[in-house]
Amino acid sequence: MKLRSLKARIGVCIAILMLIVVAILSGIAYHEFKEGLWKNMDLTLQSDLQQVKGLLFSAQGSEMEKKQELTDLLNAQATFGSFDYQIWFEDHISGQTEMYITSDLYHAYTQHSASAPVLEKSVLLDLNYNNQSYRAIWARYAMPHNRSIPGQTVNIALAISSHYAFHEVGEFVRVLLIAGAIVIWAAWGLTQQILRWGLKPLHSLAEQMSHITESDLATINPSCPDVHLELVSFVTSWKDMLARLAKAMEEQKRFISDAAHELKTPIALMKSTLQLAQIKKRDTEYYENTIADALEDVDRLHNLVNQLLELSRIESPTSITRREWIHLNNVIEDVIEYHKPLLDEKGFVLKPDLCPADLYGSREQLQCLFNNLIDNAIKYAPPKTTISIAMKTDDNSVTIIVHDEGGNIPQEECGLLFERFYRISKARDRNSGGSGLGLAIAKEIVLQHGGQIHVESNHTIGTRFIVSLPKNTRNQETRNAD
């Protein structure tokens, strides 16, 4: 099951990490505890072995007395449980009077493939005898010459039950499991509390966001005084996003208002013209002029709607525009040829200064770009003046300058010309025939081609629209490789 909660995911990660840590520490503790118990048993066996050896090698007392002393000694030392022992002389194993025995440890040793220890040495081993586990020690010694059987080799075998040690290890494992479960549960709960505290500013922001509406988007100022350092960038970006949304919605409202006004004006004029013609009978010339005016308004509406659709298509992220390598100077020449009749009609002199330049882009959009710039120059330049188009290129970009002699744009309004429906001093003069969308479309095309556009205007130099477009060297390399 996929966890969708951030707190649950982090909690699970912390719990898994704690489980691994607890498992490692528990394993180490278990190993050390078990080794300690076994080492303690080995030390006990070795100590008792030395005492038994000293008792056997003693010259005092009878055999019966030594056997009783041996029994008392081992029972007194049985810290981990009862002792089993067997003492025999070599070649006298079974039923000999020299043997002290509580269990047949010799056969238990041989069944476990235990080899006899070297003389004067001892070996430690684990036995399973009579369905019980034992820790045992086996040693061989040469009897001293003052004994009744001098030079004879004596075997001493001691065994102690491991049940107590295994029981203690089992109890220790249970304690580790309980402690580990408590630690993991505590880590989970602590993690949840820390995350709840850490995410509190986000819950506060979410609560504020739930009360934001379209009407107060521009005035909302979300506050989060207790925001943690790690969330500062997030909160800042969130506030910036609200500001951008507010600006976008304000621009959308203004765009809709301006578009409605632009559409309303020719419709109202056309309606009033037709209503005047309908009031009373007129002569044929008046009706012809009325129809001509109405058609002019229809053409203006048609042009405005086309520009609105073109702007929407260019700005749409899903629009697909065919791009190719083109000769930019040829595109500009085609646009100039298209405007030549209008230029001649209005008495303009157009001076092109073009140079060869290859560019990767949309032929259709670039034609629209320069069509709008030249059309803008024709509309607003003084009659019968010169309009020039100059190109210059370098290794990375192409710069195109469209110049006219109408240098009457205030400096503070130069940057606003590329906004939708913007006209100088907010004037909506329909005598120019402009819709206020041409330069907005031009700017969007330039941006989509990775370029820049700006305007310079004064009475000395006139008005210059400067467009800079990158050649896109990466695509140039791709084309050369092909």
Side-chain angles (χ1 to χ4, degrees):
M1 182 179 65
K2 185 177 181 180
L3 296 176
R4 299 181 61 86
S5 171
L6 176 62
K7 292 192 294 184
R9 291 182 180 181
I10 296 179
V12 169
C13 291
I14 296 296
I16 293 175
L17 179 61
M18 291 301 300
L19 179 62
I20 295 173
V21 172
V22 168
I24 294 174
L25 294 178
S26 298
I28 295 173
Y30 169 79
H31 176 76
E32 293 295 329
F33 183 76
K34 184 178 178 182
E35 288 296 318
L37 284 176
W38 256 247
K39 185 176 181 180
N40 197 7
M41 285 194 297
D42 292 344
L43 291 175
T44 300
L45 288 170
Q46 290 172 349
S47 175
D48 292 340
L49 174 66
Q50 294 302 317
Q51 294 187 56
V52 171
K53 175 185 175 184
L55 182 62
L56 290 175
F57 287 8
S58 174
Q60 300 177 355
S62 64
E63 296 297 326
M64 293 298 297
E65 290 175 346
K66 290 182 178 181
K67 184 174 183 180
Q68 183 61 44
E69 290 181 12
L70 178 63
T71 303
D72 295 340
L73 171 65
L74 295 178
N75 288 335
Q77 300 295 333
T79 306
F80 294 93
S82 62
F83 264 98
D84 286 337
Y85 60 89
Q86 181 179 6
I87 302 172
W88 70 94
F89 297 104
E90 291 187 3
D91 300 327
H92 301 277
I93 302 301
S94 177
Q96 302 299 319
T97 57
E98 300 90 350
M99 182 166 38
Y100 303 91
I101 182 170
T102 57
S103 299
D104 191 0
L105 296 179
Y106 173 77
H107 289 92
Y109 287 149
T110 57
Q111 288 175 3
H112 285 78
S113 301
S115 59
V118 179
L119 195 63
E120 303 299 327
K121 298 292 184 180
S122 62
V123 292
L124 290 162
L125 64 159
D126 292 310
L127 294 179
N128 189 358
Y129 181 66
N130 292 335
N131 296 323
Q132 291 190 13
S133 297
Y134 288 88
R135 185 66 172 167
I137 189 169
W138 182 7
R140 298 172 65 238
Y141 299 105
M143 291 295 291
H145 291 280
N146 60 349
R147 293 289 298 147
S148 60
I149 312 179
Q152 181 75 350
T153 301
V154 63
N155 289 261
I156 304 173
L158 303 177
I160 187 171
S161 175
S162 305
H163 173 73
Y164 174 79
F166 281 113
H167 174 75
E168 290 299 313
V169 170
E171 290 295 321
F172 185 69
V173 169
R174 278 189 286 271
V175 171
L176 288 178
L177 291 176
I178 295 174
I182 293 174
V183 170
I184 293 172
W185 177 81
W188 171 276
L190 183 61
T191 301
Q192 296 297 307
Q193 291 299 324
I194 293 175
L195 289 175
R196 187 176 292 110
W197 171 73
L199 295 176
K200 186 176 180 181
L202 293 183
H203 293 308
S204 175
L205 288 175
E207 180 67 20
Q208 295 181 57
M209 289 176 67
S210 64
H211 294 90
I212 296 177
T213 61
E214 180 183 350
S215 59
D216 61 1
L217 185 61
T219 59
I220 194 70
N221 185 23
S223 60
C224 191
D226 298 329
V227 64
H228 305 300
L229 182 62
E230 293 79 5
L231 298 177
V232 170
S233 59
F234 169 77
V235 175
T236 302
S237 300
W238 185 68
K239 291 181 179 180
D240 293 341
M241 180 194 68
L242 288 180
R244 291 194 300 270
L245 285 176
K247 182 180 179 181
M249 293 188 68
E250 184 63 28
E251 290 179 352
Q252 184 182 39
K253 290 179 181 178
R254 185 163 62 85
F255 174 76
I256 294 174
S257 175
D258 291 342
H261 186 91
E262 292 292 335
L263 292 171
K264 178 181 178 181
T265 300
I267 292 175
L269 290 173
M270 184 168 52
K271 180 179 179 181
S272 62
T273 300
L274 294 175
Q275 284 177 338
L276 286 175
Q278 189 183 31
I279 291 175
K280 61 180 180 178
K281 293 183 178 181
R282 310 281 184 174
D283 55 22
T284 302
E285 182 180 359
Y286 181 84
Y287 286 122
E288 290 177 352
N289 292 334
T290 299
I291 293 173
D293 291 340
L295 288 175
E296 182 181 346
D297 290 328
V298 170
D299 289 339
R300 187 166 182 267
L301 280 174
H302 182 263
N303 181 56
L304 177 59
V305 170
N306 284 341
Q307 287 192 321
L308 285 172
L309 292 175
E310 178 67 18
L311 184 60
S312 175
R313 184 178 65 84
I314 292 174
E315 290 182 338
S316 174
T318 59
S319 64
I320 300 176
T321 304
R322 181 174 177 267
R323 298 205 172 194
E324 58 185 340
W325 282 98
I326 57 177
H327 300 296
L328 187 61
N329 52 306
N330 291 344
V331 173
I332 297 176
E333 288 172 354
D334 292 341
V335 174
I336 293 173
E337 188 66 24
Y338 174 78
H339 284 88
K340 191 173 181 181
L342 183 59
L343 290 167
D344 294 340
E345 179 184 340
K346 294 184 176 289
F348 287 106
V349 177
L350 195 144
K351 292 183 177 180
D353 182 13
L354 309 180
C355 62
D358 289 344
L359 189 72
Y360 187 80
S362 168
R363 177 182 295 272
E364 178 185 356
Q365 289 186 355
L366 291 174
Q367 285 178 338
C368 180
L369 164 65
F370 294 110
N371 182 66
N372 287 348
L373 292 179
I374 294 176
D375 185 65
N376 182 79
I378 293 174
K379 286 182 178 124
Y380 298 106
K384 299 181 180 180
T385 56
T386 300
I387 298 174
S388 64
I389 302 178
M391 285 180 63
K392 58 182 180 179
T393 181
D394 56 31
D395 293 338
N396 299 317
S397 63
V398 181
T399 301
I400 305 95
I401 302 174
V402 179
H403 173 266
D404 65 71
E405 298 179 7
N408 58 349
I409 303 176
Q411 187 66 31
E412 64 274 10
E413 297 190 33
C414 285
L416 304 175
L417 287 177
F418 301 101
E419 294 187 6
R420 301 165 183 174
F421 300 112
Y422 187 85
R423 290 196 181 92
I424 302 301
S425 301
K426 299 293 185 182
R428 296 184 180 273
D429 182 13
R430 58 189 299 270
N431 292 329
S432 65
S435 63
L437 290 175
L439 294 179
I441 295 174
K443 180 181 179 180
E444 191 63 32
I445 293 174
V446 171
L447 292 178
Q448 289 206 4
H449 282 76
Q452 296 178 341
I453 182 172
H454 67 280
V455 60
E456 298 174 355
S457 180
N458 58 57
H459 294 289
T460 303
I461 64 171
T463 298
R464 297 194 306 174
F465 284 88
I466 303 172
V467 178
S468 179
L469 297 172
K471 289 183 176 180
N472 201 331
T473 55
R474 181 174 63 87
N475 283 324
Q476 176 71 51
E477 293 172 358
T478 302
R479 185 183 68 159
N480 292 339
D482 293 341

